[in-house]
Amino acid sequence: MMIDRLREYVGHETPTGDAQALNAFADRLLDRYAELGGTARRVAAPTGDHVVADFPGRGPLAAEAPLLFIGHHDTVWPIGQLREVMPWREQDGLLHGPGVFDMKGGLVVLEAALEQIADRDHRPVRVVVVADEEVGSPTARELVAAESSGVVAAFGFESPLPNGDLKTARRGSSRVRIEVTGREAHAALEPSRGVSAIDELIDQLIAVRALVSSYDDVLCNVGTITGGGRTNVVPGAAAADVGFRFIDPETERAVLDAVTSLEPIRPDAQLQVSVMSNRPAWQPSAATDELLQKVQAAARSVGQEIDGAPASGAADTNLTGWLGIPTLDGLGPRGKGAHAVHEQVIAASLAERASLVAAIITTI
C-alpha cells in the first residue's frame, strides 16, 4: 500500500515553480488529509499552493498543544524526468524515481502514521506542506512561522542522515543574486566605449571568494551564471546566483552584510545584490536534545534505535529551530541520492518510519 502510494506520488511530477502541477498535487493532498480525518486548506501562492491540515487530538491529550509536521511537495526535477531519465523502478529492495527520497517518501510515511494512530490517544497534529522548499521557501516562510505558533515541537519529513539518524541542527542557508549592468559596444571597433558586465561580475565573485575565505566553516557555491550573447559585443548584462551556508547567525549576518554592500569596481558599471531567500541557522539546543530523548524512547517502544546529529543541508525546520521550538528533522525513509539521478529509498524503511512516527505522535 505504501509503495503503491509512493509510486502514485512520484508519477505526478511537481517541479518547483510549476504552479499547475503543484496545485494539482495539492488537490491530492487535500483529499487525502480529509480522508484521514483532518481539516485541510490550501494557502495560495503564485508559484504553487501550500497545504495546511489540522488533525484533532484524541483522549486525555486532545486539548494539548499540537505537534507540527513539515514537508514539501515540490522537487528539483523537471516534467519528463520520470519518463526520460529516471523511470520508476523497484529492484533489490530499493525504490527509484524522481522525488522518491526528496521528499515524497516522507509524505507517504506521514500519511501511513496518521492512519495508524486513528484509534489511539494522542495530542493534535498540524501538517504544513509547502510548494517551494527547493528554492528556499520564499513564499512559505511566513506561513511556516505562523503555523509554528503554539506547537509543542516540530518535526521535518526530509531524508535522514545516511545511517538513518535524525537531524538536530542545520546550517543557515541564503541565496544571493548578483546582477551587473555594463554598457554594450563593438568588441573590436569601440571596445573602450564598452563596460563589460561579465568582467565586472567575475571580479565581484573573486571578491566574494576572498570574503568567504576569511571566515571558518562558511560554504559558498556559485550555482548559476548568465550574461552576454556574442563574442563581438562587449556584454552589457551579467548575473550570478550564489548559495551560502552558515553555522551561526553572527557569521551569517556579517557575510550577508558584506556581500550586499559590494560596490562596482569599474567606472559606469552598475551593481545590484539581492537576497533571494534566507533560512537562518538552526543551532543545537537543550530543548532539541530533550526532544530527541523522547523520540528515542518512542523508537524503543517499537523496537527501533535512533540517534541524532547536526546536518549541513537546510530546510523549513531551520526556521522552527531558529524560533526556539524543539525541532527534529529526517523522519523520511532511508535512502540516498537527493537531487541526483540515482535517487532511491529503501522500501522496508517506509513502514519502519511510519511506525516510528506513529509512536512519536502517541507518546510525546
Side-chain angles (χ1 to χ4, degrees), residues 69-347:
F69 291 154
I70 305 172
H72 65 88
H73 58 298
D74 64 320
T75 76
V76 300
W77 302 112
I79 297 291
Q81 188 78 7
L82 178 69
R83 181 184 66 254
E84 299 169 359
V85 183
M86 298 170 62
W88 171 269
R89 182 163 51 97
E90 301 177 39
Q91 184 177 1
D92 300 328
L94 301 175
L95 309 174
H96 303 257
V100 69
F101 187 51
D102 187 12
M103 61 156 285
K104 289 175 177 173
L107 297 179
V108 171
V109 165
L110 171 57
E111 293 176 14
L114 291 170
E115 284 184 312
Q116 292 179 25
I117 56 94
D119 297 325
R120 298 160 63 183
D121 291 346
H122 62 87
R123 67 173 66 239
V125 171
R126 182 175 301 157
V127 175
V128 177
V129 181
V130 311
D132 57 1
E133 190 277 340
E134 295 293 2
V135 292
S137 304
T139 71
R141 178 178 173 131
E142 291 185 7
L143 174 66
V144 172
E147 297 300 330
S148 298
S149 177
V151 303
V152 67
F155 295 89
F157 282 76
E158 295 281 1
S159 58
L161 294 169
N163 65 353
D165 284 346
L166 302 182
K167 299 170 181 179
T168 59
R170 287 183 176 275
R171 284 179 180 261
S173 174
S174 294
R175 290 189 308 127
V176 173
R177 178 164 295 164
I178 302 174
E179 298 175 280
V180 178
T181 302
R183 184 169 56 239
E184 292 185 346
H186 195 291
L189 300 182
E190 295 182 303
S192 62
R193 290 181 59 85
V195 178
S196 173
I198 289 180
D199 287 350
E200 177 71 23
L201 178 61
I202 289 171
D203 287 342
Q204 294 293 342
L205 292 175
I206 291 172
V208 169
R209 285 291 187 188
L211 168 68
V212 168
S213 68
S214 66
Y215 292 89
D216 293 331
D217 291 324
V218 175
L219 303 180
C220 174
N221 180 61
V222 180
T224 66
I225 292 181
T226 60
R230 296 189 177 122
T231 59
N232 62 351
V233 178
V234 176
D241 287 353
V242 186
F244 296 93
R245 306 278 178 153
F246 311 95
I247 61 172
D248 64 82
E250 294 76 22
T251 301
E252 177 181 26
R253 187 72 270 147
V255 171
L256 291 181
D257 284 349
V259 171
T260 55
S261 299
L262 290 170
E263 295 288 344
I265 296 171
R266 287 161 180 75
D268 297 328
Q270 300 175 41
L271 183 67
Q272 180 175 335
V273 183
S274 307
V275 178
M276 308 301 293
S277 66
N278 169 258
R279 287 185 171 127
W282 159 29
Q283 295 184 286
S285 70
T288 289
D289 290 344
E290 183 179 349
L291 179 62
L292 178 60
Q293 291 175 4
K294 294 178 180 178
V295 169
Q296 289 173 319
R300 288 192 292 271
S301 74
V302 291
Q304 299 182 32
E305 293 290 334
I306 200 162
D307 207 341
S312 294
D316 291 307
T317 44
N318 278 65
L319 183 58
T320 58
W322 177 73
L323 288 170
I325 298 167
T327 298
L328 291 169
D329 205 343
L331 285 172
R334 290 180 291 119
K336 63 181 179 180
H339 302 187
V341 294
H342 63 280
E343 185 174 3
Q344 60 190 256
V345 298
I346 299 171

Side-chain angles (χ1 to χ4, degrees), residues 12-27 42 45-49 73 131:
H12 187 142
E13 295 175 288
T14 50
T16 307
D18 188 329
Q20 183 176 0
L22 288 161
N23 292 347
F25 195 90
D27 290 338
R42 67 193 314 137
T47 54
D49 294 348
H73 58 298

